């Protein structure tokens, strides 16, 4: 493996995640073969609602367990989570400066069924990178390696329970900041809907 950074693939990952992508753009390797870890950003994200931080979780089928490879985890549609997520996003950001500008780009992901969590995450990530005007050199793992050499391993560093580097990120205007204060390290869509084409400079 060449020198670079090793990352998991997140569901609408936080700013810290995209900051790492921006600053290691020469060689980014995404993990496809890790065993599925529960309660991580792989199937959850956080947005800024009128009542503060709101967590959104993509449900996975009950067969997913710690021995299931991340690329094989299937999304559950037993409950209409897509409608809940999209309505929550609309309610939280419809008054933001750039929601209407990007709305049509994100809407299809919440109106069509994607079988695998990994495919949903990659599709959303590719869209966010396009909107951020980031064009990193990306590849994907073909096998799981517990300890890697010549790579910065962030598979477990960027998570809801891990120490965060988000304090190094620039604050920016948020729609409900006057009511709730600034909430750092939310989903990348919080930055995009509030700052639009200027988002890249905040990473």
């Amino acid at each position: 493996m060449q020198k670079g950074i090793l990352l998991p693939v997140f569901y609408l990952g936080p700013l810290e995640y995209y900051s790492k992508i921006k600053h290691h753009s020469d060689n980014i390797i995404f993990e496809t073969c890790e065993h599925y870890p529960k309660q991580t950003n792989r199937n959850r994200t956080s947005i800024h609602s009128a009542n503060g931080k709101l967590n959104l979780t993509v449900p996975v089928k009950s067969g997913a367990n710690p021995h299931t490879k991340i690329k094989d985890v299937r999304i559950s549609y037993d409950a209409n989570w897509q409608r809940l997520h999209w309505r929550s996003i609309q309610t939280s950001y419809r008054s933001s400066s750039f929601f209407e500008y990007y709305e049509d780009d994100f809407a299809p992901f919440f109106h069509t069924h994607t079988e695998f969590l990994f495919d949903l995450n990659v599709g959303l990530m590719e869209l966010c990178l396009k909107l951020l005007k980031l064009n990193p050199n990306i590849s994907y793992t073909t096998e799981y390696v517990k300890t890697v050499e010549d790579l910065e391993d962030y598979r477990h560093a960027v998570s809801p329970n891990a120490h965060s580097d988000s304090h190094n990120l620039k604050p920016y205007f948020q729609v409900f900041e006057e009511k709730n204060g600034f909430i750092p390290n939310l989903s990348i869509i919080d930055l995009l809907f509030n700052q639009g084409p200027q988002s890249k400079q905040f990473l």
Side-chain angles (χ1 to χ4, degrees), residues 1 3 15 21 28-30 41 56 87 95 97-98 102 105 111-113 117 142 151 160 173 178 181-182 188:
M1 284 185 171
K3 289 184 178 180
L15 269 64
I21 292 176
I28 298 173
I29 303 171
F30 287 106
N41 292 113
L56 303 175
R87 286 189 65 182
S95 63
S97 298
F98 295 94
Y102 296 134
D105 293 313
H111 293 94
T112 57
H113 284 197
L117 176 66
T142 56
L151 285 174
F173 172 79
E178 184 174 337
F182 178 77
I188 189 63

Side-chain angles (χ1 to χ4, degrees), residues 8-61:
V9 178
F10 284 168
Y11 173 62
L12 293 172
L15 269 64
E16 177 188 2
Y17 179 77
Y18 281 89
S19 178
K20 291 187 185 304
I21 292 176
K22 176 185 176 182
H23 294 287
H24 297 82
S25 61
D26 289 343
N27 184 29
I28 298 173
I29 303 171
F30 287 106
E31 178 63 75
T32 69
C33 300
E34 65 177 351
H35 289 162
Y36 171 64
K38 295 182 178 180
Q39 298 183 345
T40 70
N41 292 113
R42 289 157 183 80
N43 71 321
R44 65 173 61 181
T45 194
S46 300
I47 63 174
H48 195 158
S49 74
N51 295 318
K53 186 176 180 180
L54 175 64
N55 296 320
L56 303 175
T57 301
V58 179
V60 299
K61 290 192 173 181

Side-chain angles (χ1 to χ4, degrees), residues 68-203:
T68 304
K69 289 185 178 180
I70 187 68
K71 65 183 180 65
D72 296 327
V73 173
R74 287 178 165 82
I75 298 172
S76 172
Y77 291 95
D78 291 344
N80 196 349
W81 65 268
Q82 289 177 296
R83 182 172 181 269
L84 172 63
H85 285 208
W86 187 236
R87 286 189 65 182
S88 297
I89 291 170
Q90 287 178 309
T91 301
S92 297
Y93 296 109
R94 65 161 57 101
S95 63
S96 65
S97 298
F98 295 94
F99 179 74
E100 290 186 0
Y101 191 70
Y102 296 134
E103 180 179 10
D104 290 343
D105 293 313
F106 285 97
F109 291 95
F110 299 93
H111 293 94
T112 57
H113 284 197
T114 303
E115 182 176 4
F116 293 99
L117 176 66
F118 187 85
D119 294 336
L120 173 66
N121 290 355
V122 168
L124 284 166
M125 178 184 67
E126 289 176 345
L127 171 60
C128 291
L129 292 174
K130 177 183 175 182
L131 298 180
L132 290 165
K133 294 182 171 55
L134 294 176
N135 188 28
N137 181 25
I138 290 175
S139 61
Y140 295 87
T141 62
T142 56
E143 62 179 347
Y144 179 77
V145 179
K146 184 175 182 179
T147 304
V148 295
E149 297 180 2
D150 297 327
L151 285 174
E152 293 185 54
D153 187 353
Y154 287 105
R155 288 176 292 184
H156 305 291
V158 184
S159 76
N161 301 316
H163 174 72
S164 173
D165 290 332
S166 62
H167 60 274
N168 293 323
L169 300 174
K170 301 177 186 177
Y172 56 92
F173 172 79
Q174 295 174 328
V175 173
F176 299 110
E177 184 175 353
E178 184 174 337
K179 178 181 178 182
N180 302 318
F182 178 77
I183 303 177
N185 209 31
L186 295 175
S187 169
I188 189 63
I189 62 173
D190 184 81
L191 178 62
L192 284 167
F193 291 150
N194 283 302
Q195 295 298 323
Q198 302 301 315
S199 295
K200 184 177 179 180
Q201 72 182 44
F202 290 91
L203 297 174

